Amino acid sequence: MHILMLAFKSIVNRKFTIALTVFSIALSIMLLLGVERIRNDARESFASTISGTDLIIGARSGPVQLLLYSVFRIGNPTNNVSWKSYEEIKDHRLVAWTIPFSLGDSHQGFRVLGTNLDYFNHYQYGDQQPLEFSQGKPFSTVYHAVVGADVAKELGYSLEQEIVLAHGTGKVSFVQHADKPFRIVGILRKTGTPVDRTVHVSLEGIEAIHVGWKDGALDLKQPKTVDKTSLLDLQPKTITAVLVGLKSRLAVFRVQRYINEYPKEPLLAALPGVALQELWDTMAIAQQALLAISILVVLVGISGMATAILTSLNERRREMAVLRSVGARPWHIFVLFMGEAGAVMTIASVTGVAALYLAQLIARPIIQTQLGLFLPIHPPSSHELFLLAAAIGTGLLVGLIPAYRAYRYSLADGMTIRL
Amino acid sequence: MMMETDAITIQNLAFQWRKDAAPVLNLPVLQIKRGERVFIMGSSGSGKSTLLSLIGGVLLPQKGTVTVLGQQLNGLSNAQRDSFRAEHIGFIFQMFNLIPYLSVVENVLLPCRFSRRRKQNIENRGHSLQDEAERLLNHLDLPRELLHRSVTELSVGQQQRVAAARALIGSPELVIADEPTSALDADRRASFLKLLLNECAEQNTTLVFVSHDSALEPQFDRSVQLADINNSVN
Ligand SMILES: Nc1ncnc2c1ncn2[C@@H]1O[C@H](COP(=O)(O)OP(=O)(O)OP(=O)(O)O)[C@@H](O)[C@H]1O
Ligand SMILES: [Mg+2]
């Protein structure tokens, strides 16, 4: 098509002015797709934090709060679950397995989780993937620790290294029990979940950290040497949460009701999928605002393009007259200007998508370490392609305005060269 | 009364720009023979450009007929008139003839993008489009080194020669020139006109040349005062 060739040459001729329009639209498209991509991938990464668990049980609070402190290891529980309740839940006839969680301590800013060997057997994330060791094995005594992949990498830990675990959750702990060193016996493979940022010890290990502590203060009367601690009765009296797997998923509501109506202490059983969705929904407004803003930015870019083409229209009226004189039809003029809008949108889309991948390549490691979100680099999803097509379609639709004006001009002017 | 030898026949033509305005043109008759080089003279605002748009089929008269090369334009659709213009007529305007984003040669070859016939005419003579454009520009005395320059770097006189080459490319039967020399000084005007007339004579092209400058009149086969043939009351 000859007229599109002309449109192309005209664009090349004005490449610097057009480049500005293309640049702004490309940026807006990158923003739009970037926001959408983060929304979707974060959701997926989020939803795959835990899987295979039928119920999360903790002291009575909200499901979102329970999910936050047990699975995401953010914040602290207000109350605990007694050991006796835990044992009763464990022995319930519909329960296949349990994982006890005892949280509340930290190591160099990483959370310390007290649990038992069931954790390594039953904990699943993503698409029902079990935890795997990249080195070593599970803990087998009180002073053994298993660290997540990020802990090992960021703190430079290796097997057999001795570390000190402190009471409390601050990054810098006031009092560190240098006298109770733990030895790293295992390093977990990367999961892309909060497990990577956790130090795991046995439930007895957690008790050992606290021996000699009473109500958050050091009890000087208690003996607190390593040897003696090992010998004490370290059976915990309370834990923070329990993950439960059932023999049959069909029983999930029954067990949930049983826990929620548990007579001996106020407990809450949350369905992880429902709680995840609820947590995600609390962020929905912010996400939608972000999406709305990025759509508006695209519209601003597109109206900038329309303005630029409309402004050029007047000075191009003589070009239109010349084209008419050599036999161009008014709709050729229309196509000439539509071609320009089309080319701007196409180049901007390609540039925007390329910039998105570049930005993702650069930002990915930062997002992963800072936010714990694993954002995979994948080809554009059909949803992203739809957004892209919608942006191009809007650009073409808006491009109709200057093109139609040019068409009217060329009908009215004919071959008259207007200045 | 219309003859096959006519390039242009206009009968009982009336044209007004707006319904409520007086007609700009009211021409009982105007005949231009094939191969004739006619000078049409008229003062500013007398309707010269309007007449040329009617001949080019961009405008249609409210009354009467315009027949060009045996084809009555009133009977054609808009699309047919646009393509008739591309196939048979070359235009030169007063100024700003050229498309700024095309090279000199691309400007000259522009009509070939819209007219298969004019392209064919060149190829039938065994020339390539490029060669033909260069040959014409050479005939019109445009220095070779300018061929691949941007047209915005040309002087006004050079631009008019490129426009003339574009009007003549592919041998259209009719060339219409709307004051092509009014932006040129006296020397350039004379040389431009000579080159244009020579080229038209060589290709046996009908030339309709419009101007208000009576000094050019002697070089044409015939001259027409628009005021003499136009019955409207301007
Ligand atoms: N597009 C238009 N719409 C309305 N009136 C027009 C239009 N073009 C020209 N006219 C009017 O028609 C009349 C003839 O104009 P035209 O351009 O044909 O004159 P001209 O003889 O070519 O003048 P000049 O020598 O200045 O080019 C003028 O009165 C002009 O105002
Ligand atoms: Mg005029």
Side-chain angles (χ1 to χ4, degrees), chain B residues 110-180:
Chain B
L110 200 53
C112 300
R113 287 176 189 261
F114 294 93
S115 163
R116 179 165 305 165
R117 185 171 169 275
R118 284 168 78 169
K119 198 169 154 185
Q120 208 67 57
N121 283 346
I122 298 169
E123 283 161 357
N124 286 349
R125 267 180 265 133
H127 298 300
S128 75
L129 295 181
Q130 179 80 23
D131 289 348
E132 178 67 5
E134 290 183 14
R135 188 191 68 81
L136 262 176
L137 287 165
N138 187 34
H139 270 213
L140 291 166
D141 254 3
L142 196 83
R144 268 198 78 83
E145 67 264 23
L146 296 182
L147 290 187
H148 296 284
R149 290 273 183 82
S150 158
V151 293
T152 51
E153 291 171 25
L154 302 185
S155 74
V156 178
Q158 288 164 340
Q159 286 183 24
Q160 291 305 80
R161 283 176 216 183
V162 175
R166 184 176 65 204
L168 288 159
I169 193 101
S171 314
E173 292 91 333
L174 179 59
V175 167
I176 291 178
D178 191 353
E179 307 196 57

Side-chain angles (χ1 to χ4, degrees), chain A residues 2-3 5-7 9-11 13-14 316 318-330 332 336 410-419, chain B residues 17 52-53 56 58-59 78-80 82-83 85-86 89 91 93-102 106-107 110-115 118-119 166:
Chain A
H2 291 316
I3 202 77
M5 198 60 208
L6 285 186
K9 291 198 162 163
S10 147
I11 288 168
N13 184 249
R14 290 172 298 132
R316 292 182 70 184
R318 54 173 104 116
E319 172 190 332
M320 298 193 270
V322 170
L323 287 173
R324 289 281 276 140
S325 81
V326 296
R329 305 200 48 209
H332 281 127
L336 183 69
S410 80
L411 265 186
D413 294 355
M415 298 185 299
T416 315
I417 292 181
R418 302 214 173 268
L419 300 179
Chain B
W17 277 103
L52 298 186
S53 285
V58 177
L59 298 175
N78 292 339
Q80 287 171 322
D82 286 328
S83 87
R85 178 166 68 253
I89 309 176
F91 283 90
F93 300 107
Q94 184 173 355
M95 56 197 332
F96 304 120
N97 272 288
L98 305 181
I99 307 280
Y101 51 81
L102 298 180
E106 284 170 334
N107 261 288
L110 200 53
C112 300
R113 287 176 189 261
F114 294 93
S115 163
R118 284 168 78 169
K119 198 169 154 185
R166 184 176 65 204

Side-chain angles (χ1 to χ4, degrees), chain B residues 48-50 94 178-179 210:
Chain B
K48 304 183 296 293
S49 298
T50 306
Q94 184 173 355
D178 191 353
E179 307 196 57
V210 152

Side-chain angles (χ1 to χ4, degrees), chain A residues 40-59:
Chain A
N40 280 320
D41 292 353
R43 179 196 199 114
E44 239 159 65
S45 164
F46 192 79
S48 63
T49 311
I50 185 166
S51 70
T53 295
D54 293 313
L55 287 170
I56 305 173
I57 297 169

Side-chain angles (χ1 to χ4, degrees), chain B residues 162-229:
Chain B
V162 175
R166 184 176 65 204
L168 288 159
I169 193 101
S171 314
E173 292 91 333
L174 179 59
V175 167
I176 291 178
D178 191 353
E179 307 196 57
T181 53
S182 62
L184 306 179
D185 60 42
D187 281 355
R188 297 251 176 89
R189 188 173 308 165
S191 71
F192 175 83
L193 194 58
K194 205 167 134 244
L195 290 167
L196 179 64
L197 285 166
N198 278 348
E199 200 57 41
C200 286
E202 208 165 285
Q203 300 195 13
N204 198 28
T205 312
T206 309
L207 175 66
V208 178
F209 190 107
V210 152
S211 178
H212 53 247
D213 181 3
S214 55
L216 303 174
E217 187 184 350
Q219 314 206 35
F220 289 82
D221 298 342
R222 181 155 76 97
S223 86
V224 177
Q225 278 284 352
L226 189 54
D228 293 347
I229 57 166

Side-chain angles (χ1 to χ4, degrees), chain A residues 20-34 294 297-298 348-349 351-353 355-356:
Chain A
L20 222 59
T21 311
V22 167
F23 179 71
S24 67
I25 296 179
L27 272 188
S28 72
I29 283 179
M30 177 182 117
L31 183 71
L32 175 69
L33 294 185
S294 56
V297 173
V298 172
S349 300
T351 317
V353 170
L356 173 69

